[in-house]
Amino acid sequence: MKKVLLPTDFSQNAKNAISYALKLYKDTPCTFYLLHAYGIPVYSIENWTMDFHESNPIAHYQKETMDQLNALKEELEADHANPKHQFVLQGAFNQLVDEIGEVVKKEGIDLIVMGTKGVTGAKELLFGSNTVHAIKKAKCPLIAVPGEFKYESPKQILFPVDFEVDYDKKIIEELLYLASENKGNINILHISTGNSMTEFQMRNKKKLDQLLKPHTYIFHETPVNGVIEGINDFQKKNRINLLAMIMNKHTFLESLFIRPVIRKIGMHLNIPFMVLPHLEGK
């Protein structure tokens, strides 16, 4: 039984991401954890000092949260009836990213799926702050889904690499699973620096090639024109349904994708973005 964590702030972006997850794993037995983390505004606490009928604001917010989660669960069960799926509801008085980390560890979560932005997301940002921090700290794969994205099966997956990671099956396990389940093709895009590959990179390429053997995949090379430009250019020429990258402090993902990227610099992301953590020492 796969365990998928679905953080929500009850925005349309969050609902769209949840719908994506339910469709993506429609043929997979799953437990979906619907999570809402909340804080109590200062003005609310001040108001409670004047209300003698309500002495526990946290209990009030917890009840309100669980009522909303139950309503969301009922809506999802009506719209996506699937005997292979079950839901667990979790409301928490905590920072969202901290609660995500706790749930991932406690429940053994396999994957996180969330929207790229929440209710307060600025249009000029590629990711909202919660998504950025979740990607930074994720200990399992995470898929960020744009709010306007309408579901497409990941038949064509773009996997940009620089071969600076010592690949093992655990790192790309979820990517391989999705490719297999959807009969998808993995497009490995080597972002060249203009220099010849090192022996380390050559070994990593060979290892990745071995790991991908049972699947459909193609190696591509891109001219030296920058990571963002290379990805954008490939997407213009090829229909891609999912972008997947490995999060590693030594690779280009750390510097280019984890900060709140401004759209005007040229990064166009209108498809789900899967981040695969590379936990060193694991």
Side-chain angles (χ1 to χ4, degrees):
M1 177 78 72
K2 193 174 290 292
K3 296 182 177 182
V4 181
L5 179 60
L6 304 174
T8 179
D9 58 3
F10 306 111
S11 66
Q12 193 55 48
N13 275 333
K15 287 183 179 180
N16 190 59
I18 291 170
S19 177
Y20 177 85
L22 298 183
K23 292 175 181 176
L24 186 64
Y25 289 95
K26 66 182 185 302
D27 297 320
T28 302
C30 289
T31 297
F32 291 102
Y33 292 77
L34 296 175
L35 169 67
H36 179 68
Y38 57 90
I40 299 177
V42 173
Y43 72 83
S44 295
I45 296 176
E46 291 173 346
N47 289 345
W48 251 288
T49 63
M50 298 181 290
D51 189 339
F52 297 101
H53 300 289
E54 292 286 355
S55 59
N56 191 339
I58 294 179
H60 171 84
Y61 273 87
Q62 178 67 11
K63 181 181 183 305
E64 188 177 72
T65 291
M66 295 310 295
D67 287 346
Q68 288 179 287
L69 287 173
N70 271 299
L72 176 59
K73 175 188 173 185
E74 291 177 5
E75 180 183 335
L76 295 173
E77 288 176 335
D79 294 343
H80 304 274
N82 190 331
K84 295 182 178 181
H85 293 169
Q86 62 185 37
F87 295 93
V88 174
L89 310 183
Q90 297 204 218
F93 177 52
N94 199 355
Q95 295 294 320
L96 177 61
V97 176
D98 293 338
E99 189 63 26
I100 287 174
E102 291 180 17
V103 174
V104 167
K105 183 176 180 181
K106 180 181 177 182
E107 303 295 342
I109 297 296
D110 299 300
L111 175 74
I112 303 164
V113 181
M114 62 192 300
T116 53
K117 294 191 288 283
V119 288
T120 59
K123 290 183 178 180
E124 70 272 14
L125 297 181
L126 187 62
F127 297 128
S129 59
N130 278 330
T131 310
V132 169
H133 294 309
I135 289 174
K136 280 184 177 181
K137 296 185 177 182
K139 303 299 183 184
C140 68
L142 182 152
I143 300 178
V145 184
E148 66 280 2
F149 183 76
K150 296 186 183 304
Y151 180 79
E152 297 174 2
S153 176
K155 298 291 187 183
Q156 293 294 332
I157 301 168
L158 179 57
F159 186 34
V161 297
D162 55 11
F163 300 123
E164 293 289 351
V165 172
D166 183 10
Y167 301 98
D168 63 57
K169 189 175 182 180
K170 185 66 177 175
I171 296 175
I172 60 173
E173 186 174 27
E174 198 63 30
L175 175 62
L176 297 181
Y177 178 82
L178 289 178
S180 177
E181 286 292 298
N182 293 277
K183 296 181 174 57
N185 177 54
I186 303 174
N187 296 277
I188 301 97
L189 180 64
H190 177 221
I191 306 293
S192 173
T193 62
N195 301 316
S196 298
M197 286 201 297
T198 64
E199 289 187 15
F200 179 66
Q201 288 176 304
M202 293 293 289
R203 286 198 303 271
N204 291 338
K205 180 179 180 181
K206 185 175 181 180
K207 193 170 184 180
L208 179 59
D209 187 41
Q210 292 298 318
L211 289 171
L212 293 170
K213 283 293 185 191
H215 304 272
T216 304
Y217 63 99
I218 305 172
F219 279 101
H220 304 270
E221 291 284 337
T222 184
V224 185
N225 60 355
V227 178
I228 290 176
E229 293 82 356
I231 292 173
N232 283 344
D233 187 59
F234 192 90
Q235 286 194 83
K236 289 176 184 176
K237 298 174 181 177
N238 303 274
R239 178 68 173 178
I240 299 298
N241 316 111
L242 177 68
L243 172 65
M245 297 179 74
I246 293 176
M247 171 63 189
N248 177 266
K249 66 182 181 182
H250 301 300
T251 65
F252 47 69
L253 176 58
E254 171 70 17
S255 61
L256 289 176
F257 285 82
I258 296 310
R259 61 189 177 183
V261 180
I262 305 300
R263 287 191 183 277
K264 65 183 180 182
I265 71 171
M267 181 59 204
H268 306 295
L269 189 64
N270 54 9
I271 58 173
F273 176 38
M274 184 179 201
V275 180
L276 307 167
H278 182 256
L279 305 179
E280 296 187 20
K282 297 293 183 181

